[in-house]
Amino acid sequence: MKTTLFLLFILLSHAASERCNPEDKNVLLQIKKELNNPTILSSWKPNTDCCHQSWYGVKCYNKRIGSLTITDNNDLNSQIPPSISNLPFLHDLNFINLPNLTGPIPESISKLTNLKLLTISLTSISGPIPNFVAKLKNLINLDLSFNNLSGALPPSLYKLPNLSGIFFNNNKLTGSIPPSYGSFNTNNLKVLLLSNNQLSGTLPVSLAKFNSSVRYLIDLSHNRFEGDASMLFGSTKMAEYIDLSWNKFDFDIGKVELSKTLTTLDISHNQIYGNLPMGMENLVGLNVSYNRLCGEIPKGGNLQSFDVYTYFHNKCLCGSPLPSCK
């Protein structure tokens, strides 16, 4: 009798001392099952505390699962587990460098209304970027880079009031940039990274509203965009980095004003024409090669310290470091 009471006391003491919410633990064990019990999750054991640091990739806040990260594993062969939606306090979810993670982004993720950081990168997930991600009103950073995602950009993303970073680069996305992307909260959005896709068409004029109050980065390189991109420039803009390279942009760069905050500009491999504008002397990174530029390279700043390949293969650009103008 005494032995039984002692064992019961030990069990109750263990239960009382365990920091992990039992519902959350059951969800994690179900996630492990849906992921086909990969060896990387061998530390997830029913008889241990899931808030203990021994549980791989799990972090707790006030006894609830707040962060889940699974990364760098070739043996995980599965889709994103639907049971993820049963972790209501999750604010940080990361699936990174899992080449055998396949399937679409499940709608169950839209139930994670406390989610602030979502990273699904370097996987084999496919299908479209679903519109339901716009239901994640607390989302700050959305990284879906280096996957096999296809289809159009979701037009409803602008409804996310706190979004500061969009990383959709290195996928198979098609179509144009929705006009609604000019309606992002300009006090928050700092990164728009759409490079290395199959996006096309002209840029919406609404992007002229793109940020005049917060320093930001925009990378549209290695796509099939065409036409005018001058709305991205202006003396009141706060851009630090603009990369438009390897597209079919066609506009007069000489008519744009560069902001004093701009440090890096790459417009190479386009059909951009005109003279180089004043303000480029402030740049620390520049590539205008393979365009239709003309006129003398302005003097001053770093412009003469860049090598010839910065200006190479233009219609009639001249002046140091290129041959002098005649």
Side-chain angles (χ1 to χ4, degrees), residues 276-303:
L276 294 180
M278 298 301 296
M280 280 194 171
E281 62 273 9
N282 299 320
L283 300 176
V284 297
L286 176 65
N287 193 344
V288 299
S289 62
Y290 289 89
N291 279 290
R292 296 186 290 146
L293 301 171
C294 271
E296 185 173 8
I297 297 171
K299 294 181 173 64
N302 297 315
L303 293 180

Side-chain angles (χ1 to χ4, degrees), residues 80 84 93 105-112 115 118 120 136:
I80 296 174
I84 286 285
L93 177 60
I105 299 174
E107 189 168 0
S108 56
I109 283 181
S110 65
K111 297 179 181 179
L112 299 174
L115 208 60
L118 175 59
I120 307 173
L136 304 174

Side-chain angles (χ1 to χ4, degrees), residues 21-273:
N21 181 280
E23 294 180 6
D24 286 358
K25 176 189 276 190
N26 289 335
V27 171
L28 288 176
L29 293 174
Q30 179 62 28
I31 289 171
K32 178 181 178 181
K33 181 179 179 181
E34 292 172 0
L35 290 172
N36 299 316
N37 298 304
T39 54
I40 196 172
L41 301 183
S42 59
S43 60
W44 293 16
K45 298 177 181 179
N47 59 344
T48 59
D49 186 350
C50 68
C51 284
H52 192 274
Q53 61 184 2
S54 62
W55 276 55
Y56 170 84
V58 175
K59 291 184 179 179
C60 293
Y61 302 88
N62 297 320
K63 296 187 177 182
R64 303 307 299 259
I65 306 301
S67 176
L68 178 59
T69 299
I70 302 176
T71 184
D72 299 325
N73 188 266
N74 293 328
D75 298 326
L76 191 151
N77 292 275
S78 178
Q79 298 188 10
I80 296 174
S83 291
I84 286 285
S85 64
N86 296 322
L87 294 173
F89 292 88
L90 201 64
H91 61 71
D92 189 349
L93 177 60
N94 305 289
F95 293 105
I96 304 171
N97 196 18
L98 303 171
N100 295 314
L101 186 69
T102 59
I105 299 174
E107 189 168 0
S108 56
I109 283 181
S110 65
K111 297 179 181 179
L112 299 174
T113 54
N114 287 307
L115 208 60
K116 293 182 179 180
L117 307 174
L118 175 59
T119 299
I120 307 173
S121 180
L122 291 162
T123 78
S124 294
I125 64 165
S126 57
I129 299 174
N131 267 313
F132 60 67
V133 295
K135 295 180 180 180
L136 304 174
K137 299 298 184 181
N138 290 303
L139 205 62
I140 295 174
N141 201 73
L142 179 57
D143 186 348
L144 302 177
S145 61
F146 293 93
N147 295 300
N148 291 321
L149 296 168
S150 59
L153 295 169
S156 55
L157 278 186
Y158 77 98
K159 296 180 181 179
L160 298 177
N162 303 311
L163 197 61
S164 66
I166 298 173
F167 301 83
F168 291 167
N169 54 294
N170 295 83
N171 280 286
K172 300 175 182 177
L173 301 173
T174 56
S176 58
I177 295 179
S180 61
Y181 279 34
S183 299
F184 279 111
N185 186 334
T186 56
N187 291 319
N188 289 323
L189 193 65
K190 298 178 179 67
V191 178
L192 179 61
L193 193 49
L194 304 177
S195 59
N196 290 281
N197 279 287
Q198 299 167 24
L199 298 167
S200 60
T202 58
L203 301 186
V205 294
S206 60
L207 292 187
K209 295 184 288 185
F210 218 72
N211 222 310
S212 58
S213 58
V214 176
R215 297 194 178 195
Y216 64 94
L217 175 156
I218 184 166
D219 189 346
L220 308 180
S221 64
H222 293 268
N223 279 290
R224 301 168 185 173
F225 292 118
E226 58 188 27
D228 191 5
S230 61
M231 78 288 291
L232 299 176
F233 300 91
S235 59
T236 62
K237 301 286 186 179
M238 297 292 286
E240 290 186 328
Y241 180 106
I242 296 179
D243 191 345
L244 307 177
S245 63
W246 293 92
N247 280 287
K248 299 178 181 179
F249 286 118
D250 181 0
F251 65 98
D252 188 347
I253 190 70
K255 293 183 178 180
V256 306
E257 293 184 83
L258 302 183
S259 68
K260 292 182 180 180
T261 60
L262 189 65
T263 62
T264 303
L265 175 64
D266 191 342
I267 59 171
S268 63
H269 294 87
N270 281 285
Q271 300 170 24
I272 297 171
Y273 57 92

